[in-house]
Amino acid sequence: MHTTDPRADGGPQPAGEPQHGGGPQPAGEPQHGGGRRAAVLFDVDGTLVDSSYIHTLAWWQAFRQAGYDVPMASIHRSVGMGGDKILDSLLPSDRDASQDSTIMTSHAAVFSTFWPALRPLDGAKELLAQCHESGLAVALASSARERDLEALRSTIEADAFIDAATSSSDAKESKPAPDILVAALEALGVRASDSVYVGDAVWDIYAAGKLNIPAIGLTCGGTSEAELRDAGAVEIYASPRALLENLANSAIGKLSARR
């Protein structure tokens, strides 16, 4: 299985990555060797909440309303990128870009109609709880809009185990750029080398790879094991429940054992 090692402690940090001065940490916060915190970052759509195909449908509807006929299969493969990058990937480069904001607003409107129907993926809440109880900080690193993220968090019902959460408004560039992950690390005061990321799309794995963060892939969002492995995932599981059942031997378990 392909593996990606986090940067060695004290090595050069990429531009924009939070630095840690090694000073005292607030009492009660998860600590890592040498007084540093360690953390698990989670994508949300398709990773903790069963919403990837709802996003596919919402984008399909938004494209149709704007006069574009885009196959759902192509849309699903792009879900996980930010909305701006989805448009650039799936629509003609010579399109009237003044329509882009209307298309994204339409997608948001359609997706919001499904908020009451959203369901957490099996084991999502328990996985966050176990990571928290093992002494690791937990952050949601999502490209979702802030209002959508609120609905997703309400669906998971695990706020007691979440230390920070980032949305699309916290990043200049959306996935596969790593900005969302950098924002989550900064919110926690954690170095990339002291973290693991969990996501369901190749865009999640690519984003983590740009910071040398080991990424665990979940196939519950509809991306195959082979695609996640080729993107660079260090481990692959079928669902949050499957990861939870193997947590001790996973990259998360190894990170916790370093503490």
Side-chain angles (χ1 to χ4, degrees):
M1 177 175 291
H2 178 79
T3 59
T4 303
D5 293 328
R7 281 186 308 276
D9 291 346
Q13 307 294 317
E17 186 187 346
Q19 304 289 320
H20 203 301
Q25 300 297 312
E29 290 188 342
Q31 303 289 313
H32 189 55
R36 296 199 311 272
R37 306 179 78 189
V40 187
L41 314 180
F42 289 89
D43 175 56
V44 182
D45 282 300
T47 299
L48 300 174
V49 177
D50 194 7
S51 53
S52 290
Y53 289 94
I54 296 175
H55 276 296
T56 299
L57 178 60
W59 280 116
W60 181 80
Q61 286 274 57
F63 290 146
R64 289 293 298 273
Q65 291 171 14
Y68 297 105
D69 190 3
V70 183
M72 283 194 179
S74 298
I75 296 172
H76 178 261
R77 293 178 67 84
S78 298
V79 168
M81 287 195 287
D84 57 330
K85 289 189 169 69
I86 287 178
L87 297 186
D88 288 340
S89 173
L90 297 177
L91 299 184
S93 59
D94 60 351
R95 69 184 182 278
D96 178 3
S98 66
Q99 281 191 305
D100 286 5
S101 61
T102 300
I103 295 172
M104 287 194 281
T105 298
S106 296
H107 161 264
V110 174
F111 185 75
S112 69
T113 66
F114 288 93
W115 286 351
L118 292 174
R119 293 293 181 270
L121 285 156
D122 183 34
K125 180 177 181 178
E126 295 90 338
L127 176 59
L128 298 181
Q130 187 57 50
C131 289
H132 176 82
E133 290 168 9
S134 69
L136 298 170
V138 173
L140 305 183
S142 169
S143 292
R145 295 183 319 139
E146 190 168 347
R147 289 185 64 201
D148 288 336
L149 183 59
E150 290 174 2
L152 294 164
R153 290 181 68 163
S154 178
T155 298
I156 303 168
E157 297 183 335
D159 276 0
F161 313 119
I162 297 170
D163 298 289
T166 59
S167 66
S168 58
S169 62
D170 296 306
K172 282 187 177 181
E173 279 200 63
S174 58
K175 296 174 189 173
D179 298 30
I180 287 289
L181 279 68
V182 171
L185 291 169
E186 289 177 341
L188 295 171
V190 172
R191 292 165 51 129
S193 56
D194 294 323
S195 66
V196 172
Y197 187 50
V198 182
D200 70 291
V202 295
W203 319 112
D204 298 318
I205 311 304
Y206 293 150
K210 289 174 182 175
L211 297 177
N212 287 333
I213 297 176
I216 296 174
L218 302 184
T219 60
C220 47
T223 301
S224 72
E225 178 177 347
E227 289 172 302
L228 293 169
R229 192 184 308 281
D230 288 346
V234 298
E235 297 165 3
I236 301 164
Y237 300 91
S239 65
R241 176 72 63 191
L243 173 54
L244 177 62
E245 291 173 349
N246 292 277
L247 199 61
N249 295 319
S250 72
I252 296 173
K254 294 171 185 173
L255 177 66
S256 180
R258 286 165 44 191
R259 299 178 61 251

